[in-house]
């Protein structure tokens, strides 16, 4: 476990990668949110770390005391719980205009496009974090056979809903943005929901399963 | 209602940002120079977090359609109300019909226009800040265009009077030296690289915007190329991608990042960067966390003092 201040008011705790990292992070984050709601603005968790944003009005003395309390909290024993994931099914039109890089990924893998689709839809992917863009899920568990390098030159604009692969990661572009992932398909499911609370369809701890559909069948 | 006669190159509605949603990947956004936007609000009797216009560069023109009290802070700009030059940092009342023109920029980059009661656009996730990439907040989630009409509550002061007081608006940003904390990955750079980082000035590149500033100058070589896992980043985090050109993350920054973080701009020096435009130079200097916190506390005290004296003046004006 390693912890440090990123800024005057942002403190980061990083855990070593271990089998229970995901569960441990969730429990530490929940405990900090519940026990320190007076002192903090918000927390942000990534696959191995938690960032804690502290209210700027908190006194310097208090700021210096908080990390020790949080380290103690982080050292509490992880409560063994069966991981129950909320599985979100996302219909995807693979290939063609929606997935211009499907052929590239297939070629890189030495597979047919259909085999890539079958592999990509065969896994229930845990959502490790939401980051990079609003509602953008970082998913783990992509089958190794379809790992693929990023594009050498990023596209200047990728449409919202694009499903991509970058190295061993897969994810969905929740908003239209520049990006370098290999795009293999697209969904009409909206992942960023600015009018809802929470504003993200997927949360860290959920899971996503992609389902191959034909164009026009997305909502069926 | 405030009508946009000319939006200038880039004008958006901002407040002090949308916090509480970073865990969902939602950028904080908000005023690039929060000191200036807060001050503009205080001058017209608002709360520091009320919604204001952030006006980049110059050329913008607005017409007030109802009586209000307004103030301009931030960049050093020549501003005219119906063709008459005005000074920033003071409350100015209008009765409706007047045109405010941001004629030219002398120094800095971003001006802030606050009206009494704040700009009344709907809140999205607790904030009125425009988050351009996601298309939310502000006015329809976008930069202002000619003909846009932004509501505000008329404040009833119909006398065209100029207050006889003003507050300084450029004390905290007219500087070149930007102080930074050592970043979490500072050890990826050897002492020679760190000397270069702090001894030679960097120029703000044209590829700079509200999300981040790319810096031109000495390229920095990391001695460890191991991929990092993404971790939280914040306003002022300085990342060094493999190309070696540092990038300072600004108000519209993403929530997490995976490049080595060489440093972190201290809070009180963020406005120095926010007021730099492409081609301007900055010089970095490392300071300790202890020093940064002392400076932040002193700045908060100064803001409190300004707030108190503005309140006193406003009460006197009302009599």
């Amino acid at each position: 476990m390693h912890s440090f201040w990123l800024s005057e008011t942002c403190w980061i705790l990083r855990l070593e990668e271990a089998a229970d990292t995901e569960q441990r992070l969730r429990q530490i984050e929940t405990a900090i949110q519940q026990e320190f709601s007076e002192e903090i603005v918000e927390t942000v968790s990534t696959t191995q770390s938690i960032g804690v944003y502290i209210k700027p009005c908190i006194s310097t003395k208090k700021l210096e005391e908080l990390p020790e309390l949080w380290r103690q909290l982080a050292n509490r024993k992880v409560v063994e719980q069966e991981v129950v994931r909320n599985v979100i099914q996302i219909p995807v039109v693979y290939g063609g205009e929606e997935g211009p890089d499907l052929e590239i990924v297939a070629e890189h893998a030495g597979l047919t496009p259909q085999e890539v689709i079958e592999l990509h839809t065969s896994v229930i992917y845990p959502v490790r974090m939401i980051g990079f863009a609003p509602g953008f899920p970082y998913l783990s568990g992509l089958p190794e056979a379809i790992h693929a390098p990023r594009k050498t030159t990023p596209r200047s604009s990728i449409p919202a809903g694009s499903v991509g692969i970058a190295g061993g990661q897969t994810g969905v572009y929740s908003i239209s943005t520049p990006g370098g992932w290999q795009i293999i398909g697209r969904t009409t499911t909206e992942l960023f929901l600015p009018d809802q609370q929470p504003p993200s369809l997927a949360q860290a701890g959920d899971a996503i399963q992609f389902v191959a559909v034909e164009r026009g069948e997305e909502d069926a | 209602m405030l009508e946009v006669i000319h939006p200038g190159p880039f004008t958006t509605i901002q407040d002090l940002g949308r916090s509480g949603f970073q865990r969902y990947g939602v950028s904080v956004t908000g005023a690039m120079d929060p000191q200036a936007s807060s001050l503009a609000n205080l001058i017209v009797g608002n709360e520091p977090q009320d919604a204001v216009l952030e006006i980049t560069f110059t050329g913008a023109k607005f017409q007030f359609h109802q009586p209000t009290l307004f103030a301009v802070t931030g960049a050093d700009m020549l501003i005219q109300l119906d063709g008459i030059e005005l000074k920033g940092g003071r409350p100015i009342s209008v009765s409706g019909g007047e045109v405010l023109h941001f004629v030219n920029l002398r120094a800095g980059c971003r001006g802030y226009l606050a009206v009494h009661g704040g700009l009344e656009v709907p809140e999205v996730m607790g904030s009125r800040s425009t988050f351009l990439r996601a298309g939310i907040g502000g006015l329809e989630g976008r930069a202002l265009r000619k003909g846009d009409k932004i509501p505000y509550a008329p404040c009833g002061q119909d006398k065209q009077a100029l207050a006889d007081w003003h507050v300084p608006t450029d004390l905290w940003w007219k500087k070149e030296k930007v102080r930074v904390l050592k970043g979490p990955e500072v050890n990826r750079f050897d002492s020679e690289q760190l000397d270069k980082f702090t001894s030679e000035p960097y120029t703000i590149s044209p590829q700079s915007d509200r999300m981040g500033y790319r810096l031109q100058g000495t390229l920095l070589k990391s001695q460890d190329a191991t991929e990092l896992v993404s971790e939280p980043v914040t306003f002022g985090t300085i990342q060094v991608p493999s190309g070696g050109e540092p990038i300072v993350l600004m108000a519209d920054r993403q929530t997490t990042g995976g490049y080595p973080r060489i440093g972190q701009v201290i809070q009180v020096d963020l406005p120095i960067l926010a007021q730099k435009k492409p081609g301007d130079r900055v010089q970095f200097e490392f300071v300790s966390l202890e020093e940064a916190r002392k400076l932040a506390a002193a700045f908060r005290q100064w803001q409190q003092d300004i707030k108190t004296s503005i309140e006193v003046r406003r009460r006197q004006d009302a009599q």
Side-chain angles (χ1 to χ4, degrees), chain A residues 8 14 33 42 49 135 203, chain B residues 22-24 231 267 293:
Chain A
E8 291 93 325
R14 185 189 302 154
Q33 284 171 6
E42 60 186 317
S49 312
Q203 322 292 320
Chain B
Q22 288 198 80
R23 87 186 56 189
Y24 306 116
E231 265 194 0
Q267 237 163 38
R293 285 198 174 133

Side-chain angles (χ1 to χ4, degrees), chain A residues 4-10 12-14 29 33 41-51 53 56-58 60 63-64 129-136 138 175-177 192-195 197-200 202-203, chain B residues 18-28 124-125 131 133-134 136 181-185 211 227-235 237 253-256 261 263-268 289-290 292-294 296-297 300:
Chain A
F4 53 89
W5 289 97
L6 173 65
S7 72
E8 291 93 325
T9 52
C10 176
I12 292 177
L13 174 79
R14 185 189 302 154
E29 190 181 20
Q33 284 171 6
V41 180
E42 60 186 317
T43 59
V44 179
S45 66
T46 60
T47 55
Q48 261 173 269
S49 312
I50 302 172
Y53 289 86
C57 57
I58 299 291
T60 304
L63 277 176
E64 285 162 359
M129 60 180 264
I130 304 289
F132 171 67
F136 187 108
Y138 278 69
I175 59 171
S176 174
T177 169
F192 176 47
L193 309 164
D195 301 325
Q197 172 58 5
S200 176
Q203 322 292 320
Chain B
R18 185 172 282 109
S19 47
F21 297 91
Q22 288 198 80
R23 87 186 56 189
Y24 306 116
V26 179
S27 298
V28 176
V124 179
M125 286 179 245
F131 178 14
R133 265 189 320 138
I136 60 162
L181 303 172
K182 287 190 169 160
E185 284 77 47
M211 188 173 174
E227 287 272 319
L228 290 161
V229 291
S230 288
E231 265 194 0
V233 290
T234 188
F235 198 169
T237 303
R253 66 207 177 265
Q254 67 276 30
T255 54
T256 59
R261 294 159 293 185
Q264 171 69 41
V265 177
I266 69 169
Q267 237 163 38
V268 298
L289 180 62
E290 196 189 3
R293 285 198 174 133
K294 267 189 205 147
R300 275 201 299 280

Side-chain angles (χ1 to χ4, degrees), chain B residues 296-315:
Chain B
F299 195 85
R300 275 201 299 280
Q301 187 55 52
W302 179 78
Q303 273 183 315
Q304 195 51 49
D305 293 347
I306 290 254
K307 187 174 183 216
T308 310
S309 47
I310 288 174
E311 280 162 2
V312 170
R313 290 304 196 123
R314 282 182 48 80
R315 270 198 301 277

Side-chain angles (χ1 to χ4, degrees), chain B residues 142-165:
Chain B
R142 58 169 173 82
L144 297 188
R145 296 181 195 140
K146 180 178 160 61
D148 282 342
K149 294 179 172 71
I150 308 152
Y152 60 81
C155 87
Q157 259 175 291
D158 54 358
K159 295 196 296 281
Q160 175 102 17
L162 281 176
D164 64 349
W165 56 272

